[in-house]
């Protein structure tokens, strides 16, 4: 059932013109395509269903170029700008245009280091800022950004029950990125063990929230907006790739 739904949603997003996509939908669109690209790269026969690697690659490049343009506007909210910078870095992992990385890192340091200072200061304590810190650590090896990201993760895990369910999804992505990119490098092994246990318990809640979003999409269908379509695309693409990795569809 979910597989058929994913195929339907994938056809829908492939037909979207980027100029018609709200900026707030670009992150989900990008990461959905990154999941599809990874899936087709590992299992080449899936090109028959999802198109060639080159076509998917080209779509990701298109999104990255839009993000690069959006970052030129320094008047947008700092959290939004941080999200665009992180997404551009994520696109760079696949489409290795050094200009993308340069623009994203320049933006990151504009956000994190006030003029006249050489020390990082968090402008807000959000999932996007946490992701930005993780990516700065990944690309530059700057340990301060890794420690600051760890502080945010510890802080948010302590108040998970108080977080709005939709924001919970955004924090989950930030926590997963921290686990993958920074993790034990900036934590004691004991502290890391506690955190991993909390994250494992959180995963059950995350799946439930995602299921609710998918169910809501199915109920709305023709009446839902682009943002919901893209959100469900991101969820289902990631799940589909995970299923192939686990050998469920082979």
């Amino acid at each position: 059932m979910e597989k058929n739904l994913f195929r339907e949603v994938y056809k829908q997003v492939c037909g979207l013109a980027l100029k018609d996509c709200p900026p707030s939908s670009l992150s989900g669109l990008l990461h959905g395509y990154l999941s599809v690209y990874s899936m087709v790269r590992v299992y080449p026969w899936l090109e028959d269903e999802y198109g060639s690697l080159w076509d998917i690659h080209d779509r990701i490049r298109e999104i990255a170029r839009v993000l690069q343009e959006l970052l030129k506007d320094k008047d947008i909210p700092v959290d939004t700008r941080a999200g665009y910078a992180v997404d551009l870095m994520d696109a760079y992992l696949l489409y290795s245009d050094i200009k993308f990385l340069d623009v994203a890192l320049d933006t990151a340091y504009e956000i994190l280091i006030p003029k006249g200072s050489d020390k990082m200061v968090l402008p807000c304590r959000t999932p996007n800022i946490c992701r930005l810190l993780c990516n700065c650590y990944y690309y530059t090896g700057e340990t301060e950004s890794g420690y600051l990201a760890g502080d945010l993760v510890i802080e948010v895990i302590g108040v998970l029950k108080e977080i709005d369910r939709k924001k919970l999804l955004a924090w989950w992505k930030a926590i997963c990125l921290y686990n993958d990119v920074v993790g034990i490098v900036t934590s004691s092994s004991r502290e890391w063990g506690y955190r991993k246990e909390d994250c494992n318990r959180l995963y059950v809640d995350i799946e439930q929230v995602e299921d609710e979003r998918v169910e809501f999409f199915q109920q709305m269908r023709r009446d839902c907006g682009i943002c919901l379509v893209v959100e469900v695309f991101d969820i289902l693409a990631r799940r589909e790739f995970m299923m192939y990795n686990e050998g469920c569809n082979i």
Side-chain angles (χ1 to χ4, degrees), residues 1 5 211 213-221 228:
M1 177 67 177
L5 179 62
D211 287 343
R213 298 303 293 165
V214 173
E215 184 179 347
F216 180 64
F217 167 78
Q218 290 178 295
Q219 291 172 352
M220 296 293 291
R221 288 291 181 169
L228 180 57

Side-chain angles (χ1 to χ4, degrees), residues 27-45:
S27 181
L29 193 64
L30 171 70
H31 288 93
Y33 272 109
L34 287 173
S35 293
V36 174
Y37 183 90
S38 298
M39 194 161 51
V40 174
R41 184 187 61 185
V42 177
Y43 309 107
W45 61 87

Side-chain angles (χ1 to χ4, degrees), residues 145-184:
S145 57
Y147 283 113
L148 288 172
D151 289 343
L152 283 179
V153 168
I154 292 170
E155 178 182 303
V156 76
I157 285 178
V159 294
L160 285 173
K161 293 182 180 179
E162 303 171 18
I163 295 177
D164 174 83
R165 289 175 74 79
K166 192 168 184 181
K167 289 182 180 177
L168 195 62
L169 294 178
W171 270 115
W172 175 248
K173 290 182 179 181
I175 291 169
C176 288
L177 180 62
Y178 176 80
N179 287 346
D180 293 340
V181 172
V182 187
I184 201 168

Side-chain angles (χ1 to χ4, degrees), residues 109-126:
Y109 287 117
E110 285 176 12
I111 291 171
L112 296 172
I113 302 177
K115 286 184 179 179
S117 174
D118 59 356
K119 185 177 181 180
M120 287 188 176
V121 176
L122 303 188
C124 50
R125 310 179 79 80
T126 63

Side-chain angles (χ1 to χ4, degrees), residues 130 133-135 137-138 143 145-147 149-150 176-187 192:
C130 187
L133 290 165
C134 290
N135 273 16
Y137 176 85
Y138 177 80
T143 56
S145 57
Y147 283 113
C176 288
L177 180 62
Y178 176 80
N179 287 346
D180 293 340
V181 172
V182 187
I184 201 168
V185 175
T186 59
S187 309
W192 178 250

Side-chain angles (χ1 to χ4, degrees), residues 8-184:
E8 177 186 329
V9 173
Y10 183 63
K11 288 180 181 178
Q12 195 169 350
V13 297
C14 285
L16 289 175
L18 290 186
K19 64 181 178 61
D20 297 329
C21 295
S24 59
S25 70
L26 294 176
S27 181
L29 193 64
L30 171 70
H31 288 93
Y33 272 109
L34 287 173
S35 293
V36 174
Y37 183 90
S38 298
M39 194 161 51
V40 174
R41 184 187 61 185
V42 177
Y43 309 107
W45 61 87
L46 291 177
E47 284 197 357
D48 293 339
E49 285 191 58
Y50 303 120
S52 70
L53 272 181
W54 172 252
D55 288 340
I56 303 167
H57 186 277
D58 197 49
R59 183 69 156 170
I60 291 168
R61 179 179 59 182
E62 279 186 89
I63 299 169
R65 285 176 173 169
V66 174
L67 290 167
Q68 186 179 23
E69 285 300 307
L70 288 170
L71 282 174
K72 292 179 179 179
D73 183 359
K74 298 186 179 183
D75 293 327
I76 59 178
V78 66
D79 179 60
T80 301
R81 201 157 182 252
Y84 294 157
V86 175
D87 292 333
L88 191 58
M89 291 181 195
D90 292 344
Y92 170 78
L93 287 172
L94 175 62
Y95 189 79
S96 301
D97 185 333
I98 195 64
K99 292 180 181 177
F100 289 163
L101 183 58
D102 287 343
V103 168
L105 285 174
D106 286 347
T107 302
Y109 287 117
E110 285 176 12
I111 291 171
L112 296 172
I113 302 177
K115 286 184 179 179
S117 174
D118 59 356
K119 185 177 181 180
M120 287 188 176
V121 176
L122 303 188
C124 50
R125 310 179 79 80
T126 63
N128 281 335
I129 292 296
C130 187
R131 292 169 60 220
L132 189 66
L133 290 165
C134 290
N135 273 16
C136 285
Y137 176 85
Y138 177 80
Y139 284 109
T140 70
E142 175 63 56
T143 56
E144 183 182 5
S145 57
Y147 283 113
L148 288 172
D151 289 343
L152 283 179
V153 168
I154 292 170
E155 178 182 303
V156 76
I157 285 178
V159 294
L160 285 173
K161 293 182 180 179
E162 303 171 18
I163 295 177
D164 174 83
R165 289 175 74 79
K166 192 168 184 181
K167 289 182 180 177
L168 195 62
L169 294 178
W171 270 115
W172 175 248
K173 290 182 179 181
I175 291 169
C176 288
L177 180 62
Y178 176 80
N179 287 346
D180 293 340
V181 172
V182 187
I184 201 168

Side-chain angles (χ1 to χ4, degrees), residues 43 241-250:
Y43 309 107
F241 182 46
M242 288 172 63
M243 286 176 64
Y244 273 99
N245 279 349
E246 293 166 0
C248 295
N249 295 334
I250 298 175

